[in-house]
Amino acid sequence: MGVIRILPQETSRRIAAGEVIDRPASALRELLDNAIDADARDIAISIAQGGIEEITVTDNGFGMTKEDLELSVLEHATSKIYEPDDILKARTLGFRGEALASIAAVSRLEIASRPRGSNEGWLLRSVPLQSPAIDAFPCKEGTRVTVRGLFESYPARKQFLKRPQSEALLCRTTFIERALSHPQLTFRWQSANDAEVFLPGTHAERIARCYPDLAHAPLFDAVSEAQGLHIHIVYADISVYRRDRKYIQVFVNRRKVPEWGVLSLVEYEFAKYLPGGAHACAFLFLEIDPGLADFNIHPAKKEVRLKNAQEVHAAIHALLSSELKARYSGSTQDLSARFSDMQEPEFFAADRSQPQLNFAASAFAETRRQEWGARWPSFSEAQNQKHAASNSLPADFWQKIRANNENGPRYIGRGPGPFLLFELDGILFIMDQHAAHERILYDRLKAKEGISQSLLVPYLIDPEDNEHFLEEAAQALEFIGYRISKEESAWAVEAVPAIAASQALEALVEWLHQPSVESTPLDSIAAALACKAAVKDGDILDQAAAERLIAEALALKEPRCPHGRPVLIAFPREKLDAMFGRTLA
């Protein structure tokens, strides 16, 4: 007898439900999508105990007849697609017909609905493992869906839910995402004693309503239309910026997605006008032909694959570049703002920023150009031509640095603040000692598993509402050198990374209170620890220590700190002569 068996229907339904509904926030997401797809103009959300006990979504949309209500909780029942190719044409947020069936498999579900223009309303009640019951029910036009006891009959899944406060925060995040991308709708929120109403308005008004710290910030709009593509960018004035990427968000066809190519491009364009380590407040809304955006690659439609990514990137670059240049021309943070008749100083660019150096015959540079050409071919060629024409650095510049030849860097001394000065082959360099050391430590932390240093007395930490981040980052923390255990509700740090033991606890607590959702736990924790352990502005290095730091900085593959600031700025002799008005014979 073989060992392969067909799973019972209830087991397979719960497995399928777990792919779509893993916590209250995902159930709320699906219910909101259904309400929006039903042409609702007013949507009310209420949650109890973080959505674990109850979630209710009420809308004034199309509503459902008795026949539709009976089918709505069955697997693969949907009104949005029929033929296989319809997935490529769907303009609705939902289309698979999995949401209500998945919710019904793991909760007590109640749906009251009355179609527009009808005098008859109906109520469906459903519990796991039983057939649903439908009765006549007096109700308003539209639909009210109530989910109670999520995972009550599925303890294996329920044990992974967080505290109600944490789940409520995730539900709130889902609510905000839908409210941001649909400013023309009214959204109502009720959780415990917290009640809010978001009235219809513009994108900028809705952003200010969702994020009160942007309520008094100057917000600007930029719009572009192309064949099959509509781009709308809302951004805050560059005087309003953050130290994290929380307010750089991308929405494609009204869904928030981590489209890394677009996010990097937005960062790059704003970086020209912001101080080092600062991040813009920019919300990008893309509407693209459904046939060119595939959301069917993720069970919860949290990711998208763009068929014409290069054209989309080029259009965004053109809009942002012209918009920011027109608004902030002359306001850049580099030295070209002070010497308007000269070229900007040469920055050592990171891989995720556009190259600013000319390496005409360098294989290293050619590799970088090819990488950028693949990402943004529409404008990388023009930029390469621009920098090739400047010819401000020798073609063998990087080879000399990496060869560590006898004509290596000559240390000049300390400048003001954290800056060190040195010269190499007729080029004057200014180096930020903190940024350089921070990058060096960051690379070391990520390069190999760290050595731990045990604490004499374990340090207790309270993750508050971010407990789930601590659990998700367990592997990254262990790799870096932390050893953390949990007993009941207490978390104890038993060991810290030996590479920066004295700063490790402070870095851990700081990361835990402000975890980043835009980067991996390993990147975030390594960046926090490296920043704490690196030499600071007021630290004075002796010549030997400064020379060692310079040598290591010149060997960096990506000479920017983990937060994006450049490690080095270079001034070739020709540029210095031009700045001082010297004419060489």
Side-chain angles (χ1 to χ4, degrees):
M1 181 177 177
V3 296
I4 297 178
R5 293 174 294 176
I6 302 297
L7 289 174
Q9 183 179 15
E10 183 57 33
T11 303
S12 62
R13 284 191 68 185
R14 287 193 172 185
I15 292 173
E19 295 180 352
V20 180
I21 308 299
D22 63 341
R23 60 185 349 105
S26 55
L28 177 59
R29 179 193 64 233
E30 299 296 339
L31 297 181
L32 284 174
D33 288 354
N34 282 346
I36 293 168
D37 289 342
D39 193 39
R41 312 307 297 176
D42 193 315
I43 302 173
I45 300 95
S46 173
I47 66 171
Q49 289 295 302
I52 301 171
E53 181 180 309
E54 182 176 304
I55 302 171
T56 299
V57 176
T58 305
D59 68 65
N60 62 350
F62 290 133
M64 288 182 281
T65 63
K66 180 181 179 182
E67 292 74 20
D68 286 339
L69 199 55
E70 289 174 337
L71 295 173
S72 66
V73 294
L74 300 181
E75 296 174 79
H76 312 302
T78 179
S79 62
K80 298 157 189 175
I81 63 171
Y82 185 73
E83 300 292 341
D85 289 344
D86 289 347
I87 292 178
L88 303 178
K89 307 171 188 174
R91 295 186 177 275
T92 52
L93 294 173
F95 49 77
R96 296 197 189 114
E98 299 172 326
L100 287 178
S102 297
I103 294 172
V106 294
S107 70
R108 290 176 280 122
L109 180 65
E110 184 177 284
I111 307 176
S113 191
R114 174 182 155 193
R116 285 178 181 170
S118 172
N119 295 321
E120 290 185 314
W122 302 93
L123 177 65
L124 177 146
R125 293 187 180 92
S126 170
V127 295
L129 304 178
Q130 296 183 23
S131 299
I134 300 181
D135 299 296
F137 185 76
C139 57
K140 296 180 180 180
E141 291 184 353
T143 301
R144 186 189 71 226
V145 183
T146 302
V147 179
R148 296 188 178 94
L150 191 63
F151 302 127
E152 198 172 62
S153 62
Y154 193 2
R157 170 70 70 176
K158 188 174 183 178
Q159 67 178 334
F160 289 101
L161 296 181
K162 311 304 177 188
R163 292 182 299 177
Q165 298 93 323
S166 298
E167 296 296 345
L169 181 62
L170 294 171
C171 286
R172 170 76 178 181
T173 300
T174 298
F175 164 76
I176 290 294
E177 289 176 4
R178 289 299 181 263
L180 280 174
S181 57
H182 297 82
Q184 76 280 10
L185 306 182
T186 297
F187 284 87
R188 305 174 191 272
W189 171 263
Q190 176 74 48
S191 175
N193 296 322
D194 181 20
E196 290 184 89
V197 177
F198 293 2
L199 297 176
T202 64
H203 272 100
E205 291 169 341
R206 181 56 58 85
I207 289 168
R209 187 73 179 82
C210 290
Y211 298 116
D213 46 344
L214 292 179
H216 302 292
L219 296 177
F220 307 111
D221 292 80
V223 179
S224 176
E225 293 276 0
Q227 186 173 5
L229 176 66
H230 175 85
I231 306 172
H232 183 188
I233 300 170
V234 182
Y235 64 96
D237 185 78
I238 58 173
S239 62
V240 181
Y241 56 82
R242 294 179 61 89
R243 292 298 178 182
D244 57 35
R245 299 177 178 85
K246 178 181 178 180
Y247 292 162
I248 301 181
Q249 300 184 17
V250 174
F251 296 81
V252 177
N253 289 359
R254 298 167 294 140
R255 296 182 182 92
K256 185 183 176 185
V257 292
E259 219 298 320
W260 304 117
V262 175
L263 287 168
S264 298
L265 180 52
V266 172
E267 282 251 77
Y268 165 74
E269 291 297 337
F270 275 97
K272 301 174 185 176
Y273 306 93
L274 290 171
H279 301 283
C281 301
F283 299 80
L284 182 62
F285 303 92
L286 301 180
E287 289 292 332
I288 191 170
D289 187 326
L292 302 177
D294 185 6
F295 287 95
N296 204 32
I297 59 175
H298 190 281
K301 301 184 281 292
K302 292 182 179 179
E303 299 176 10
V304 63
R305 180 184 293 122
L306 300 178
K307 185 176 181 180
N308 60 339
Q310 294 179 358
E311 291 85 348
V312 172
H313 292 166
I316 295 170
H317 162 69
L319 174 60
L320 259 183
S321 180
S322 60
E323 169 72 15
L324 297 180
K325 184 176 180 180
R327 187 174 297 278
Y328 299 118
S329 180
S331 299
T332 56
Q333 300 297 319
D334 57 42
L335 294 184
S336 59
R338 300 188 183 183
F339 303 101
S340 58
D341 57 334
M342 303 172 192
Q343 298 176 5
E344 60 183 317
E346 302 298 329
F347 283 77
F348 285 17
D351 287 343
R352 59 185 172 80
S353 304
Q354 191 141 350
Q356 302 291 319
L357 298 176
N358 172 46
F359 307 123
S362 168
F364 175 78
E366 188 58 34
T367 300
R368 291 172 66 88
R369 286 177 184 159
Q370 290 173 2
E371 291 173 354
W372 268 84
R375 292 176 69 180
W376 291 300
S378 58
F379 64 90
S380 60
E381 182 179 353
Q383 289 290 333
N384 288 337
Q385 292 173 354
K386 168 189 171 183
H387 291 293
S390 68
N391 196 29
S392 56
L393 290 178
D396 58 353
F397 179 75
W398 276 105
Q399 288 90 329
K400 286 184 178 181
I401 288 178
R402 300 189 186 286
N404 193 24
N405 56 39
E406 57 185 14
N407 296 322
R410 177 178 65 85
Y411 178 61
I412 298 173
R414 292 180 58 243
F419 301 110
L420 304 179
L421 281 68
F422 66 94
E423 177 264 336
L424 176 66
D425 292 331
I427 300 171
L428 174 66
F429 288 87
I430 303 176
M431 187 180 84
D432 183 335
Q433 66 179 23
H434 174 75
H437 195 207
E438 186 179 0
R439 184 73 209 192
I440 292 165
L441 292 176
Y442 175 79
D443 287 349
R444 287 178 187 170
L445 287 166
K446 292 186 62 179
K448 62 179 181 180
E449 189 169 355
I451 299 173
S452 298
Q453 177 175 311
S454 297
L455 299 176
L456 292 176
V457 179
Y459 180 82
L460 298 180
I461 56 175
D462 181 8
E464 297 177 351
D465 293 336
N466 291 329
E467 187 175 20
H468 57 286
F469 285 109
L470 193 59
E471 293 176 344
E472 293 167 2
Q475 188 174 356
L477 288 165
E478 185 177 353
F479 178 84
I480 289 177
Y482 290 97
R483 286 207 309 271
I484 304 176
S485 62
K486 181 182 181 183
E487 295 184 6
E488 297 180 352
S489 61
W491 292 82
V493 183
E494 299 172 349
V496 295
I499 191 173
S502 59
Q503 296 87 10
L505 286 175
E506 183 183 358
L508 176 65
V509 171
E510 182 178 289
W511 167 80
L512 190 57
H513 286 167
Q514 275 194 319
S516 171
V517 296
E518 286 83 14
S519 58
T520 66
L522 180 59
D523 288 338
S524 299
I525 298 163
L529 183 55
C531 184
K532 290 294 179 186
V535 293
K536 302 297 188 293
D537 187 338
D539 295 339
I540 299 176
L541 305 181
D542 60 33
Q543 182 168 342
E547 289 176 344
R548 285 196 300 271
L549 186 61
I550 290 169
E552 290 188 70
L554 290 173
L556 287 171
K557 293 182 178 179
E558 186 174 352
R560 282 182 178 263
C561 82
H563 304 100
R565 294 185 293 107
V567 168
L568 299 162
I569 297 178
F571 293 89
R573 170 63 189 275
E574 296 82 0
K575 185 164 296 183
L576 291 173
D577 288 332
M579 291 170 68
F580 284 93
R582 294 177 59 85
T583 302
L584 299 181

